[in-house]
Amino acid sequence: MKTILTTIALTAVVIAGCSKDDNKPNPSEPSGGGSNTNVITAQTTEHLPVNLASAGNYVILAGSQVSNVPTSAITGDIGLSPAAGSFLTGFSLVLSTDGTSSTAAEVTGSLYASNYTSPTPSVLTSAKGDLTTAYNDAAGRTATDMVLLAGNIGGLTLTPGLYKSSGSLEISSGDLTIDALGNPNAVFIIQIASALNVTSGRQVILSGGALASNIFWQVGTSATLGTTSVFKGSILADQSISLKTGATVDGRLLARIAAVSLEGNTVVEH
């Protein structure tokens, strides 16, 4: 099978390497019919989810800091390693009696840091190791029919499969739809060599039974989600993840090396 090379410039979509029937309507398009060049042709390769292992026990996992500008609403546990608990900022932490975790009014769950009482340090070390393994897994996936992306992907509809960008990606000129085509087990893996930027008010919209838990964004540097943006899926960033005021996330924020920064956000684990 030919590799499907899809290059999205800032103002255009070009699909190369398709079959002779390119001008025919795509049978895998969402209901409504008709040819739509903004809908990526369905890939035939089925992918397994990225195994987060123990990193998946956290809605937020970071290396250097988790900062919060109140008031946020976080559902799930927060982990920080190798940085100490003093770098969990803006939460008004209450340390547990055994010293293994903290609680905070803005977190439905517990917060953990590398200097808390055993076994927390070793548990966090394992989780960070599992995050590195998951990040490398996502970055290393390949398929003969993977789709290449570039620039602004706002306005597109992604169907199940593997996507790759050799630079940065942004969602800016429109919302991004992720369509599982009726398969709730459908997996989406988006490999981004550099940064991911979602501009203010833009949304990732789920369609066709797509689940946030099956969407994986592997980000080679850092991710920024703009003011009041709505995002779906797990971000596995090599460096940092920043959420601007009012941004919401259904998924996970997992930063290998640097910080996760919050500003009055809603983050729900999926």
Side-chain angles (χ1 to χ4, degrees):
M1 176 181 295
K2 294 183 178 180
T3 300
I4 300 174
L5 304 180
T6 304
T7 302
I8 295 88
L10 289 177
T11 58
V13 179
V14 179
I15 302 180
C18 299
S19 69
K20 293 184 292 184
D21 295 322
D22 288 346
N23 294 325
K24 293 183 179 181
N26 179 5
S28 62
E29 288 176 358
S31 59
S35 179
N36 185 349
T37 58
N38 287 338
V39 178
I40 305 302
T41 303
Q43 302 172 40
T44 58
T45 302
E46 295 184 2
H47 295 270
L48 294 174
V50 175
N51 184 5
L52 299 176
S54 66
N57 294 333
Y58 303 87
V59 65
I60 297 174
L61 183 61
S64 66
Q65 184 179 29
V66 180
S67 64
N68 173 50
V69 177
T71 301
S72 294
I74 312 300
T75 302
D77 290 343
I78 296 175
L80 178 63
S81 177
S86 59
F87 291 93
L88 292 168
T89 62
F91 289 103
S92 300
L93 299 177
V94 178
L95 190 66
S96 65
T97 55
D98 62 3
T100 60
S101 64
S102 292
T103 58
E106 297 176 53
V107 181
T108 304
S110 298
L111 299 90
Y112 301 88
S114 63
N115 64 326
Y116 284 5
T117 302
S118 179
T120 297
S122 61
V123 170
L124 286 171
T125 298
S126 295
K128 288 299 294 296
D130 287 342
L131 173 54
T132 295
T133 299
Y135 177 91
N136 290 335
D137 174 22
R141 296 287 184 98
T142 188
T144 57
D145 56 352
M146 71 175 164
V147 174
L148 303 186
L149 304 176
N152 171 35
I153 59 175
L156 293 181
T157 295
L158 304 186
T159 53
L162 177 64
Y163 297 85
K164 183 180 182 68
S165 169
S166 60
S168 298
L169 287 183
E170 62 182 57
I171 302 172
S172 60
S173 67
D175 297 333
L176 175 70
T177 299
I178 295 183
D179 187 353
L181 302 175
N183 178 11
N185 296 316
V187 172
F188 303 78
I189 300 172
I190 302 97
Q191 302 170 340
I192 307 170
S194 186
L196 169 65
N197 293 290
V198 181
T199 58
S200 297
R202 291 305 179 192
Q203 300 186 43
V204 174
I205 299 169
L206 302 187
S207 177
L211 299 176
S213 57
N214 286 331
I215 304 168
F216 303 91
W217 302 81
Q218 176 263 314
V219 180
T221 55
S222 297
T224 302
L225 308 184
T227 303
T228 68
S229 60
V230 178
F231 193 82
K232 306 294 175 65
S234 295
I235 299 177
L236 288 70
D238 185 61
Q239 297 295 319
S240 64
I241 304 171
S242 299
L243 276 61
K244 302 304 181 183
T245 304
T248 64
V249 175
D250 291 338
R252 291 180 173 84
L253 306 174
L254 309 174
R256 290 187 59 243
I257 295 172
V260 172
S261 302
L262 307 172
E263 297 179 13
N265 307 119
T266 299
V267 183
V268 179
E269 180 178 353
H270 280 287

